[in-house]
Amino acid sequence: MFVFVCAACDADLTAPLSRVALPVHAHQRYGNGSQLPVLMDPGTFAVEPEPWGPPWRRWAEIDPAEAEARGIHAPVHALSDNVPGAVVIAPGEAHGTVLIPENRGSGYCCGLDGAGGPNMGCAACGRPVATRIDDCSLWQAVWLDPVAVRRVPVGDGEETPLSWPELMADREATPPFESIGSWGCGPRPDKWWSSWSPEWEAAAGRALAHLLVASGGRPVSVPDGLTSEVFQGALDALLPAGPPARHAVLAGPGLPAPDAAAGLLLVPTHPQSGRTWSPDGPAASAYRVPLPFGVWRWLAFPEPRRSVATTLSRMPTGMLREDCPVPPPHHHPPFRVDSETFRNTLVRLPAVRTPWLRAILESPTRNTPAGIF
């Protein structure tokens, strides 16, 4: 475990934390005025390996060779000129910090969005050390500046990531439906509603980019049921019609070993190490499409749909206000893939240089009348 301290004065800035993989939805923007929960679990931190946050440079200002060296293989709106290695934690894990008044309101709508740069300082010496984000439609988090903080190990020895069997025994699945709130909750019941989980939409965005690359431009089918509900509409809209040339199957711990004919595997990523599950035997060469462990587990081992009330379990007992009633569950809308996660994944896959994938990237909705994004 580690504690993060101020690089200027060595004051402790966090509780002891364990490292986990960066969530796929870490930079997701969801809806309009939506009240998203905390990004990170208590007692954990994750590291963003790429530069992220202000200052930004527009694509026209970036040399293509520089972009390729940074793993970007197609145009993006802008690239960060910040340093890599930002550390994200839950806001409740930050200690010994104060808000910087002049940066509190920069770019905000309902809270802080971090557009103005660091808005938290070390309480001991005043150095800017972190950026708190809690605005509407953004996941609540504190991002520690990798230049302004240091990581100090605490305790004895190194933590060993759980094995796949241990994960199956220890970690629950992520439900596909979420109760989403909006800011300024009043007496109207529509301030809470049951919706597809933002985590699922982001997970599908990353996975869809990999499925398209692995398809080679040929039709792809996925298993019936919830997996089809999430992916098949997008695959049918973005790939040519015809008999499926490739079939993607769910594979991973607790499932039968995939056979040699399986060319595409929907597999889990380890929530601690970030590594993708890999099969043994003849299917080892198949293209592995990554899914967050919790999403994969629900697809591989479906559970009965939970009620809206139980999906609010993240909130402490008594925190639901009487003037914000939860309406009864209703039929959910068609699934939509998170478009920004899809684009951010696709531009980092070298295959995006092929003309047909570039066409999808540049106009992802041209053949999607059902509104998959």
Side-chain angles (χ1 to χ4, degrees):
M1 300 185 76
F2 300 90
V3 167
F4 290 86
V5 303
C6 176
C9 70
D10 288 335
D12 287 356
L13 300 175
T14 72
L17 304 171
S18 299
R19 183 169 181 174
V20 296
L22 184 72
V24 177
H25 52 285
H27 302 296
Q28 182 185 29
R29 291 181 176 270
Y30 180 84
N32 181 19
S34 303
Q35 189 175 3
L36 296 183
V38 173
L39 173 67
M40 301 298 296
D41 289 332
T44 67
F45 75 94
V47 178
E48 170 55 80
E50 297 187 25
W52 195 269
W56 298 89
R57 277 190 295 155
R58 294 187 179 275
W59 181 256
E61 304 169 8
I62 300 167
D63 184 272
E66 177 192 352
E68 187 168 345
R70 293 176 58 171
I72 308 296
H73 305 288
V76 294
H77 176 68
L79 280 181
S80 170
D81 257 358
N82 208 338
V83 296
V87 175
V88 62
I89 63 175
E93 302 294 352
H95 298 172
T97 59
V98 294
L99 284 174
I100 301 174
E102 55 267 29
N103 281 356
R104 286 185 63 180
S106 176
Y108 75 100
C109 176
C110 301
L112 304 173
D113 72 353
N119 55 27
M120 299 176 67
C122 172
C125 70
R127 177 174 182 172
V129 292
T131 301
R132 175 162 181 154
I133 295 177
D134 55 18
D135 203 359
C136 58
S137 300
L138 300 175
W139 290 86
Q140 299 177 45
V142 167
W143 291 83
L144 302 174
D145 184 337
V147 176
V149 303
R150 291 190 301 108
R151 186 169 63 185
V152 178
V154 295
D156 299 326
E158 296 184 2
E159 287 189 296
T160 302
L162 297 175
S163 66
W164 289 109
E166 289 171 333
L167 274 177
M168 294 297 293
D170 182 74
R171 299 296 176 93
E172 295 184 355
T174 302
F177 303 101
E178 189 76 47
S179 293
I180 305 297
S182 62
W183 287 100
C185 187
R188 301 200 326 265
D190 61 352
K191 288 297 183 178
W192 289 94
W193 67 91
S194 178
S195 173
W196 287 100
S197 165
E199 295 183 45
W200 275 65
E201 294 184 4
R206 180 178 67 172
L208 178 61
H210 282 278
L211 283 167
L212 292 181
V213 167
S215 75
R218 294 174 289 170
V220 170
S221 67
V222 297
D224 293 336
L226 186 57
T227 308
S228 177
E229 190 173 0
V230 170
F231 291 111
Q232 198 62 63
L235 292 170
D236 291 345
L238 298 174
L239 293 172
R246 310 200 74 180
H247 185 67
V249 299
L250 288 159
L255 291 177
D259 58 41
L264 298 177
L265 305 179
L266 295 161
V267 300
T269 56
H270 198 289
Q272 294 170 299
S273 68
R275 294 179 180 174
T276 303
W277 182 87
S278 179
D280 296 323
S285 61
Y287 191 109
R288 289 172 291 154
V289 177
L291 288 169
F293 178 81
V295 172
W296 171 87
R297 177 163 187 160
W298 193 288
L299 290 173
F301 304 97
E303 300 179 22
R305 181 177 175 181
R306 300 176 184 176
S307 68
V308 175
T310 59
T311 61
L312 290 171
S313 59
R314 297 182 185 183
M315 301 185 68
T317 301
M319 287 299 292
L320 281 179
R321 289 162 40 188
E322 292 182 358
D323 62 345
C324 295
V326 179
H330 55 79
H331 182 71
H332 57 271
F335 185 85
R336 289 177 179 265
V337 175
D338 187 81
S339 60
E340 285 304 305
T341 307
F342 169 76
R343 289 179 57 85
N344 289 337
T345 302
L346 192 57
V347 298
R348 287 163 172 80
L349 300 175
V352 74
R353 300 190 190 102
T354 58
W356 71 275
L357 278 173
R358 281 293 293 272
I360 290 175
L361 181 70
E362 291 166 3
S363 183
T365 59
R366 75 194 194 289
N367 290 322
T368 55
I372 62 170
F373 292 105

